[in-house]
Amino acid sequence: MEDLREHGVGDLVKELSSQVSTLVRQEVELAKAEVGEKGKKAGAGAGMFGAAGAAALLMLGSLTACLILALDMAMPAWAAALIVTALWVAVAGVLALQGRKKMQEMGTPIPEKTIETVKEDVQWAKHPTKSGRR
């Protein structure tokens, strides 16, 4: 690397401006990638919650005469209705737990890696001779 003392102030300012511009573009790209990745996980979790909602509606629909009457042949109607309802409660519970797990995998919707690298960039900009990162 050539000695920076040989360059004029204008050249140094131009070089600094170019480096800062490149750095900002890279940080924006990193933030986009990180938010996109988290968005995919959030979408999957939201889909699971949606499925849990559909299962909850089916839980109410479990009172449908077809299922209840099928079990009614072997037991009282109230017992048949209770069994079908319990089945849909279990399905809704499993889907809700899976949706919750997907949402927890996502973590916070904040681009944490980008924030950390921006902090490092600020430290480097304050003390460029102390940091070996750039």
Side-chain angles (χ1 to χ4, degrees), residues 7 10 12 15 20 26 39 51 73 96 102:
H7 293 282
L12 292 174
E15 179 67 23
V20 167
Q26 289 173 342
M73 292 181 188
K102 289 287 185 186

PDB file of all heavy atoms in Angstrom, residues 7 10 12 15 20 26 39 51 73 96 102:
ATOM      1  N   HIS A   7      -0.243  11.842  -0.985  1.00  0.00           N
ATOM      2  CA  HIS A   7      -1.448  12.307  -1.680  1.00  0.00           C
ATOM      3  C   HIS A   7      -1.887  13.651  -1.136  1.00  0.00           C
ATOM      4  O   HIS A   7      -1.678  13.973   0.025  1.00  0.00           O
ATOM      5  CB  HIS A   7      -2.597  11.310  -1.491  1.00  0.00           C
ATOM      6  CG  HIS A   7      -2.370   9.997  -2.166  1.00  0.00           C
ATOM      7  ND1 HIS A   7      -2.549   9.822  -3.511  1.00  0.00           N
ATOM      8  CD2 HIS A   7      -1.966   8.797  -1.684  1.00  0.00           C
ATOM      9  CE1 HIS A   7      -2.279   8.573  -3.828  1.00  0.00           C
ATOM     10  NE2 HIS A   7      -1.908   7.925  -2.732  1.00  0.00           N
ATOM     11  N   GLY A  10      -7.314  16.650  -1.336  1.00  0.00           N
ATOM     12  CA  GLY A  10      -8.424  16.373  -2.242  1.00  0.00           C
ATOM     13  C   GLY A  10      -8.493  14.905  -2.613  1.00  0.00           C
ATOM     14  O   GLY A  10      -9.581  14.311  -2.644  1.00  0.00           O
ATOM     15  N   LEU A  12      -7.294  12.407  -0.874  1.00  0.00           N
ATOM     16  CA  LEU A  12      -7.656  11.652   0.326  1.00  0.00           C
ATOM     17  C   LEU A  12      -9.153  11.746   0.611  1.00  0.00           C
ATOM     18  O   LEU A  12      -9.795  10.745   0.956  1.00  0.00           O
ATOM     19  CB  LEU A  12      -6.853  12.144   1.533  1.00  0.00           C
ATOM     20  CG  LEU A  12      -5.350  11.851   1.493  1.00  0.00           C
ATOM     21  CD1 LEU A  12      -4.653  12.517   2.674  1.00  0.00           C
ATOM     22  CD2 LEU A  12      -5.097  10.361   1.485  1.00  0.00           C
ATOM     23  N   GLU A  15     -10.938   9.584  -1.912  1.00  0.00           N
ATOM     24  CA  GLU A  15     -10.784   8.163  -1.560  1.00  0.00           C
ATOM     25  C   GLU A  15     -11.677   7.800  -0.378  1.00  0.00           C
ATOM     26  O   GLU A  15     -12.342   6.758  -0.374  1.00  0.00           O
ATOM     27  CB  GLU A  15      -9.319   7.863  -1.230  1.00  0.00           C
ATOM     28  CG  GLU A  15      -9.045   6.433  -0.824  1.00  0.00           C
ATOM     29  CD  GLU A  15      -9.251   5.440  -1.954  1.00  0.00           C
ATOM     30  OE1 GLU A  15      -9.183   5.823  -3.135  1.00  0.00           O
ATOM     31  OE2 GLU A  15      -9.490   4.253  -1.645  1.00  0.00           O
ATOM     32  N   VAL A  20     -16.476   5.203   1.923  1.00  0.00           N
ATOM     33  CA  VAL A  20     -17.698   5.327   2.727  1.00  0.00           C
ATOM     34  C   VAL A  20     -18.914   4.937   1.887  1.00  0.00           C
ATOM     35  O   VAL A  20     -19.803   4.222   2.357  1.00  0.00           O
ATOM     36  CB  VAL A  20     -17.843   6.758   3.293  1.00  0.00           C
ATOM     37  CG1 VAL A  20     -19.234   6.981   3.857  1.00  0.00           C
ATOM     38  CG2 VAL A  20     -16.786   7.011   4.359  1.00  0.00           C
ATOM     39  N   GLN A  26     -22.651  -1.768   0.956  1.00  0.00           N
ATOM     40  CA  GLN A  26     -22.490  -3.123   1.476  1.00  0.00           C
ATOM     41  C   GLN A  26     -23.364  -3.351   2.707  1.00  0.00           C
ATOM     42  O   GLN A  26     -23.959  -4.417   2.863  1.00  0.00           O
ATOM     43  CB  GLN A  26     -21.021  -3.392   1.820  1.00  0.00           C
ATOM     44  CG  GLN A  26     -20.136  -3.519   0.602  1.00  0.00           C
ATOM     45  CD  GLN A  26     -18.669  -3.613   0.961  1.00  0.00           C
ATOM     46  OE1 GLN A  26     -18.249  -3.259   2.061  1.00  0.00           O
ATOM     47  NE2 GLN A  26     -17.875  -4.075   0.011  1.00  0.00           N
ATOM     48  N   GLY A  39     -37.782 -12.621   7.190  1.00  0.00           N
ATOM     49  CA  GLY A  39     -39.135 -12.539   6.647  1.00  0.00           C
ATOM     50  C   GLY A  39     -39.655 -13.898   6.204  1.00  0.00           C
ATOM     51  O   GLY A  39     -40.833 -14.215   6.388  1.00  0.00           O
ATOM     52  N   ALA A  51     -52.976 -21.938   9.726  1.00  0.00           N
ATOM     53  CA  ALA A  51     -53.470 -23.317   9.719  1.00  0.00           C
ATOM     54  C   ALA A  51     -54.109 -23.666  11.061  1.00  0.00           C
ATOM     55  O   ALA A  51     -55.115 -24.387  11.117  1.00  0.00           O
ATOM     56  CB  ALA A  51     -52.329 -24.278   9.400  1.00  0.00           C
ATOM     57  N   MET A  73     -73.595 -44.333  16.717  1.00  0.00           N
ATOM     58  CA  MET A  73     -74.037 -45.722  16.594  1.00  0.00           C
ATOM     59  C   MET A  73     -73.445 -46.604  17.695  1.00  0.00           C
ATOM     60  O   MET A  73     -74.026 -47.627  18.044  1.00  0.00           O
ATOM     61  CB  MET A  73     -73.647 -46.282  15.227  1.00  0.00           C
ATOM     62  CG  MET A  73     -74.387 -45.650  14.087  1.00  0.00           C
ATOM     63  SD  MET A  73     -73.847 -46.410  12.555  1.00  0.00           S
ATOM     64  CE  MET A  73     -74.659 -45.364  11.387  1.00  0.00           C
ATOM     65  N   ALA A  96     -50.555 -24.883  16.367  1.00  0.00           N
ATOM     66  CA  ALA A  96     -50.180 -23.648  17.071  1.00  0.00           C
ATOM     67  C   ALA A  96     -48.775 -23.757  17.655  1.00  0.00           C
ATOM     68  O   ALA A  96     -47.986 -22.807  17.574  1.00  0.00           O
ATOM     69  CB  ALA A  96     -51.193 -23.340  18.171  1.00  0.00           C
ATOM     70  N   LYS A 102     -41.695 -21.858  14.850  1.00  0.00           N
ATOM     71  CA  LYS A 102     -41.167 -21.170  13.671  1.00  0.00           C
ATOM     72  C   LYS A 102     -40.939 -19.690  13.963  1.00  0.00           C
ATOM     73  O   LYS A 102     -39.944 -19.110  13.532  1.00  0.00           O
ATOM     74  CB  LYS A 102     -42.118 -21.316  12.480  1.00  0.00           C
ATOM     75  CG  LYS A 102     -42.157 -22.693  11.893  1.00  0.00           C
ATOM     76  CD  LYS A 102     -40.891 -22.981  11.134  1.00  0.00           C
ATOM     77  CE  LYS A 102     -40.995 -24.323  10.448  1.00  0.00           C
ATOM     78  NZ  LYS A 102     -39.753 -24.725   9.818  1.00  0.00           N
TER      79      LYS A 102
END
